[in-house]
Amino acid sequence: MLRRRLNRLLSGDERRVDSRTIYVGHRPCPATEAFIPPKFCDNRIVSSKYTVWNFLPKNLFEQFRRIANFYFLIIFLVQVIVDTPTSPVTSGLPLFFVITVTAIKQGYEDWLRHKADNEVNKYLVTVLEDGRRTRKESEKIKVGDVVEVEEDETFPCDLILLQSSRDDDTCFVTTASLDGESNHKTHYTVPDTEKDLESLNATIECEQPQPDLYKFVGRMHIYKNDQEPAVRSLGPENLLLKGATLKNTQKIFGVAVYTGMETKMALNYQGKSQKRSAVEKSINAFLLVYLCILVSKALVCTTLKYVWQSNPGQDEPWYNQKTQREKDTNLYLKMFTDFLSFMVLFNFIIPVSMYVTVEMQKFLGSFFIAWDKDFFDPEIQEGALVNTSDLNEELGQVEYVFTDKTGTLTQNNMEFIECCIDGFQYKYQDAASELDGFCVTDGPLSKLQQKAGREKEELFLRALCLCHTVQVKESTGQGDGLMNQVDGLELDGEVVRPEDQRGFIASSPDEVALVKGAMRYGFTFLGLESKNMKILNRNNDVEMYELLHVLNFDPVRRRMSVIVRTKSGDTLLFCKGADSSIFPRVRQDEVDRIRMHVERNATEGYRTLCVAYKKLTAEEYAQADTGLREARLALQDREEKLMAVYNQVETGMSLVGATAVEDRLQEEAAETMEALQGAGIKVWVLTGDKMETAKSTCYACRLFQRGTELLELTVRTLEEGGRKREERLHELLLDYHKKAVQDAAPVKAGVTRSWSTANQDYGFIIDGATLSMVLNSSPDANSGLYKSLFLQICQNCTAVLCCRMAPLQKAQIVKMVKNSKGGPITLSIGDGANDVSMILEAHVGIGIKGKEGRQAVRNSDYAIPKLKHLKKLLLAHGHLYYVRIAHLVQYFFYKNLCFILPQFLYQFFCGYSQQPLYDAAYLTMYNICFTSMPILAYSLLEQHIYMENLLDNATLYREIAKNAMLRWGPFLYWTLLGIFHGLLFFFGVRCLFSNPALQDNGQVFGNWSYGTIVFTVLVFTVTLKLALDTRHWTWINHFVIWGSLAFYVFFSFFWGGIIWPFLKQQRLYFVFANMLSSVSAWLVIILLILLSLLPDILLVVLRKPRGPHARQIAAVTPLSYKHLKERE
């Protein structure tokens, strides 16, 4: 064994080995073992993308992966190398500006991530070293260190629990930030470890790091002087996970087994990849089209130039003889440089400044989300938070929403609502009514039954007080206060809540709710002391019960029991569980009386549990006791053996009653879900919770309706047929596919259930175990088939519920839908660290600032205080952002086409000599100054439909679904409009020039005047076109639109009115002022602007608003929309 271990450790790469050996406290074992300190990773957590050293190269590489940036870099280099008609500054300056702005923005976002990492890594922890307690930074913890953690601290890495301050060698933890469950879980120390950890000599052998939170296999060898080492098995109950918090335990000591990026929490992280929006993909597609237009223009001009020059006398006129060097130049090289020169001349058709404007629009636009007062939550005194501004418009394109349940849909606050005892419904009321605070509403026999019911009631309440695993929080000197509070409850009719004085801790919040429910009616659980459970009954007497066994809850049995012995020596079994698991084990006549209540409560969205009991004879107990003890010691098939004993004991019980507990939904959760479905968005609930609970939440949120047929694919349905699971899975998938896909009437895209009442609605339920079978089934042809069947069924269901999911499975589901046919846009929303992987996987990730730490918020793209804010975020903000940016993109391509088309047409009239139509100043300033501000203001402030209307009418969201405004149809419309305007500008001004004498003194206008008139018409037309499209005018719109036009006129006078010493040739000297002295020029400018905008003006005047579903959204004015609402 020694040789084998030596070989394993010396064989190099530790990762290839299937287990690791850890020396507790880094102490070498007895001399028989060779001590080789193994190498493991440190305890640093890294979620940032850049470092100081790699920021520049990595960021530049990412930015130049964008087509436009790379293209402008090439154009800039061409301008520097080749003699081109325009200066390199015209493309170099905008490019430098774009790259710098983007780099600053991304650098700042990454700096925030570094800051968050440092908070975690620099956190001080206590480590035991050579008998001394030393404080260390969390990142310096090594595997094998013994760490001390105090109450309410989080574990800095994955630890094996060695010692606890509690007498019973246990500790309580909450794993809210890992799996979303805020209840307390009990963990146990390794048995037989030394009380003095200094003298503990031990090694731990355990598996290599893996992401499953609920699995851990290992063993610990404890060496004592000259004795055979004791071996103790280690399981998940001994492992404390990084990110979990210690509760109700003063302090614990544990040894680090997994650190840093190898902890289970880190392994459940997805790396943060760069998220790209669909709009960016559309921009790239349009850019390629315009790139083709550019290349074809350059090719046409180059070809025609050489055709024209082939005519005698054209190539070398007498007044422009070629130099010797020009004659010696290779023809093909000259053709190539001419082609490049034309490319440079026309390159403004590709709008580099669009990228700057889009970046600015996203960055500034994100502030509107942060500033929205509706997102402010007075409870936590915070509003919404934007971590990534690149995805604003994606919020308007969401097709699938994946939501967590606990803490997102629900508040994770359980409240006891009502119970039913022996067929009578008891609803709690604040004032004491008959039966000591019970209110009997069902059954005409209530008054007659009053006395007989008393025993049953007390039996029921005792069952609630005994059948649980609740611990009483150690009260701090408030014991007397508690007794008085309970007295107060009995004496006055007022409800005084004793639970405010004493806290309960349980593995599930329902258990606390039931204990508190019993407490309201006079039965108080006082706690467990050395295996004795104490209850304070209605008469203020303390009853003692000896706790013999707890038959733990498990998801397959779906019930839990306790066996207790009363003072009088009776042995009682109390059992509580889901109706489906209790009803078959009790007498049938009792079931009929209670079933009605249970079903009614379940449809109201309450969590229901049935309570039963049984008196055990001495023989029955002895048999059960022996069976349980044997099964608990078994190393093989321990769970199966325990299950057999449990099932044997829990038979022939008597049904006492049922309880209804409510997990309060988040405020407006149902309305939010309904609005999302009305907007054509499909909602999937992904939760780690039990199926029954999740199902009742889905009913309460109106995701499942009463008429919804549920298709269930869970471990339970797979085991029903008694056949192999694989076969049953295949059969069920085919059956459901036939029902939901083949036999279902074809549903029109985006039709919600309210319109499709004739069709059967389906809801789909799957659990984690079955999902892993579907996704990772045997590597034959079936795996792909299962996946596609599963996906098709899900896509045809109105809502899908996935329960008992591990964090990575949530991400797998999102990834599967994201990569499905049509690439739908997905959104994930959650509040715990268990949701981080799905938040990072989806196109848009939203964190909720809930009770479960800030892990989800830190990794999300957007964070909102409550689920209800999602409605406005998508239906109002998302809708508007998308419409704004879509208009911005189309408008940019349009205005650059208007700009460069006259330049292209001009080549036909200047011998293809690459003569620019516009002055260099105009070329540079057109996109940067003259036309950039109005579209930026539009893209930030435009509201083509009022926000209230967008929220009231969710169906408007569908109008822009699937990137409707950036499809090829609208793109073609804008392109044709640009061509029409370009032709009109050029040939309109050419008609003017057919009259030679345009000035009073009879002088002729030159080519720069020609270009300036075209440019003036161009600037005014594109700016006024935007003014016509604006529906929501603010003072900012007025300022930038009229200000831009005024600035253009001022600049033209200024630029042409002074002799600039740094210019070699001053082309525009007094050209603009001269032009305006001509009445004809004035007339043509005004006429051409009116002619260009005439189609738009006619459209606005003649179009009748066609209601809320008008296809051309931008044409529905808020005013017409309001009247329409009133008329309806």
Side-chain angles (χ1 to χ4, degrees), residues 640-690:
E640 284 80 355
K641 287 175 181 171
L642 277 173
M643 192 79 75
V645 183
Y646 290 169
N647 288 336
Q648 192 185 333
V649 181
E650 296 167 332
T651 47
M653 301 183 287
S654 299
L655 190 59
V656 192
T659 61
V661 171
E662 181 182 26
D663 183 0
R664 284 281 171 82
L665 286 182
Q666 288 277 9
E667 52 185 303
E668 294 177 37
E671 290 82 350
T672 306
M673 292 296 120
E674 225 166 19
L676 294 184
Q677 289 195 320
I681 298 171
K682 294 205 163 155
V683 182
W684 291 33
V685 179
L686 311 183
T687 175
D689 216 331
K690 299 196 290 291

Side-chain angles (χ1 to χ4, degrees), residues 812-910:
Q812 277 180 319
I813 283 236
V814 176
K815 189 173 185 178
M816 183 180 72
V817 174
K818 190 168 105 174
N819 298 336
S820 67
K821 195 178 163 199
I825 304 292
T826 56
L827 177 146
S828 290
I829 178 165
D831 66 325
N834 59 320
D835 306 313
V836 167
S837 46
M838 77 168 180
I839 284 174
L840 292 176
E841 183 60 58
H843 292 98
V844 185
I846 295 190
I848 285 189
K849 301 178 173 186
K851 300 175 181 173
E852 298 181 4
R854 286 296 164 96
Q855 214 74 31
V857 170
R858 276 216 298 272
N859 287 281
S860 64
D861 303 310
Y862 301 90
I864 49 178
K866 292 252 169 68
L867 177 79
K868 64 174 181 181
H869 299 135
L870 184 64
K871 180 181 170 184
K872 185 171 185 187
L873 189 65
L874 296 187
L875 301 190
H877 285 285
H879 186 122
L880 292 174
Y881 278 125
Y882 174 73
V883 171
R884 289 165 184 166
I885 204 156
H887 200 284
L888 180 146
V889 170
Q890 301 279 29
Y891 177 79
F892 250 99
F893 281 113
Y894 149 79
K895 77 183 176 74
N896 279 33
L897 186 57
C898 292
F899 177 44
I900 238 59
L901 189 61
Q903 173 74 70
F904 169 67
L905 296 169
Y906 186 57
Q907 295 308 305
F908 291 87
F909 298 90
C910 68

Side-chain angles (χ1 to χ4, degrees), residues 60 335 660 1049:
L60 287 175
M335 277 178 145
V1049 174

